[in-house]
Amino acid sequence: MQNDLKRIHLGVNIDHIAVLREARRINDPDPVDALGICKRAGADQITIHLREDRRHINDLDAQKIMFNSALPVNLECAIDADIIDIVCQLKPHRATLVPEKREEVTTEGGLDVIGQFQKIKKAVEQLKAHEIDVSLFIDPSAEVIEYSAKLDIDMIELHTGRYANIYAMLNTPLATTHHSIKELERPRSELRQLLYKSLEEIKDAAYQAHQKGLLVAAGHGLNYQNVHAMKEIEVIHELNIGQSIIARSVFTGLEQAIIDMKDLLK
Ligand code: PXP
């Protein structure tokens, strides 16, 4: 597979527009309205997550987005048989398989590729039979990449959540209130070492996957402050970013928020 390393592609994850809608359970704002704006602002891809509990994007959203998007659609989904059937009917440009736990606030950790190898293999085969490219959302681990590369996949997406959490612990006072990063309450000198280590892990994993002929994406928790480190890893082909872009758009408008992110990736 050819890898266009000249620039980093930006997938804008528009789930949070549906999160806002679901706060009132009405039909406003409609994530479909974001499609033209994303394209105009220079986004390369629309990313959505059709969760099993349909807490934000629902089936009708997914259908409308598939029908109306002029940009490729990257559909994140669990390795659940019913969801995979729906994805095969929707036929997005790519399916990204992600782990899903109902009680989590957002996707925590990467796929258990080793423990669920056969289940993932079956899902990959079904998706590929429907001519859908497949990516796996995984932790930056050499062993997980070894196993992932045994599957007929096109791409991996490296989970950057740990890097983002450590970055937040070092740089933002508010981060200490976040429930999921209590384990990171360490002296700053230790946090600096952890940040360095987590970036090295992402970098090593990215090069390993690239050498195995896979396209490399990364995402989760990336924002306008911490995204610069991803730019330095030249084999990273794509970033999928949601929360920080939609958060900024409340104040700047979506188009400007995407333009600002694209500028950082130049
Ligand atoms: N990539 C994947 C696979 C995800 O599950 C998510 C969160 O839905 C993202 C990227 C975007 O993460 P964030 O909203 O923190 O930017």
Side-chain angles (χ1 to χ4, degrees):
M1 172 154 303
Q2 281 299 306
N3 192 350
D4 168 16
L5 294 177
K6 285 193 281 298
R7 65 187 186 96
I8 295 185
H9 290 219
L10 175 65
V12 178
N13 185 319
I14 60 174
D15 294 345
H16 284 281
I17 297 172
V19 169
L20 193 55
R21 176 191 65 196
E22 293 307 310
R24 279 291 171 91
R25 301 221 168 87
I26 49 173
N27 58 5
D28 185 40
D30 187 340
V32 173
D33 290 339
L35 300 176
I37 300 170
C38 290
K39 180 159 185 278
R40 211 162 53 230
D44 300 283
Q45 167 175 279
I46 300 295
T47 294
I48 52 171
H49 187 171
L50 185 65
R51 291 189 76 103
E52 284 175 78
D53 61 10
R54 309 295 199 274
R55 71 171 70 153
H56 37 57
I57 294 291
N58 60 38
D59 299 65
L60 186 58
D61 292 327
Q63 282 168 26
K64 288 197 295 183
I65 288 165
M66 282 304 304
F67 193 73
N68 288 291
S69 180
L71 294 174
V73 176
N74 169 33
L75 209 163
E76 300 171 355
C77 64
I79 40 168
D80 166 84
D82 292 342
I83 293 277
I84 298 290
D85 284 346
I86 294 171
V87 175
C88 286
Q89 281 167 26
L90 287 167
K91 273 193 177 284
H93 167 83
R94 186 195 310 139
T96 298
L97 301 180
V98 302
E100 224 176 86
K101 290 191 223 103
R102 283 191 186 230
E103 66 280 11
E104 70 192 357
V105 177
T106 180
T107 316
E108 290 162 10
L111 268 181
D112 177 12
V113 181
I114 301 168
Q116 299 204 286
F117 189 80
Q118 288 306 331
K119 203 173 167 194
I120 295 173
K121 187 165 183 275
K122 192 167 168 242
V124 171
E125 283 169 0
Q126 190 180 341
L127 291 161
K128 295 295 282 190
H130 285 80
E131 300 186 331
I132 299 167
D133 284 356
V134 181
S135 177
L136 303 184
F137 189 45
I138 57 173
D139 289 320
S141 136
E143 204 186 359
V144 175
I145 288 171
E146 281 300 321
Y147 272 81
S148 301
K150 292 179 188 169
L151 294 160
D152 181 21
I153 56 168
D154 305 275
M155 189 164 197
I156 48 122
E157 178 170 342
L158 297 170
H159 197 307
T160 52
R162 185 165 170 79
Y163 159 74
N165 282 342
I166 301 169
Y167 189 96
M169 290 296 281
L170 262 171
N171 296 289
T172 62
L174 280 178
T176 52
T177 61
H178 193 294
H179 68 283
S180 69
I181 49 179
K182 285 278 178 240
E183 53 121 351
L184 293 174
E185 283 180 3
R186 315 256 186 112
R188 293 176 66 74
S189 56
E190 242 181 81
L191 284 176
R192 276 191 209 98
Q193 283 171 8
L194 283 179
L195 188 69
Y196 177 78
K197 190 165 165 268
S198 83
L199 262 179
E200 287 297 301
E201 283 167 2
I202 294 169
K203 200 188 293 177
D204 290 348
Y207 279 94
Q208 184 190 351
H210 176 67
Q211 272 168 6
K212 290 193 175 290
L214 296 168
L215 282 173
V216 181
H220 209 281
L222 297 176
N223 61 33
Y224 297 84
Q225 288 74 43
N226 67 21
V227 78
H228 57 87
M230 297 301 126
K231 219 178 91 173
E232 308 305 320
I233 305 175
E234 34 180 45
V235 295
I236 290 187
H237 169 73
E238 172 186 305
L239 297 177
N240 287 297
I241 307 182
Q243 209 274 339
S244 61
I245 291 178
I246 304 302
R248 177 173 290 216
S249 76
V250 171
F251 302 108
T252 66
L254 183 56
E255 188 165 352
Q256 191 59 48
I258 295 170
I259 290 169
D260 290 348
M261 184 57 81
K262 287 286 292 187
D263 280 348
L264 292 176
L265 299 181
K266 273 183 192 149

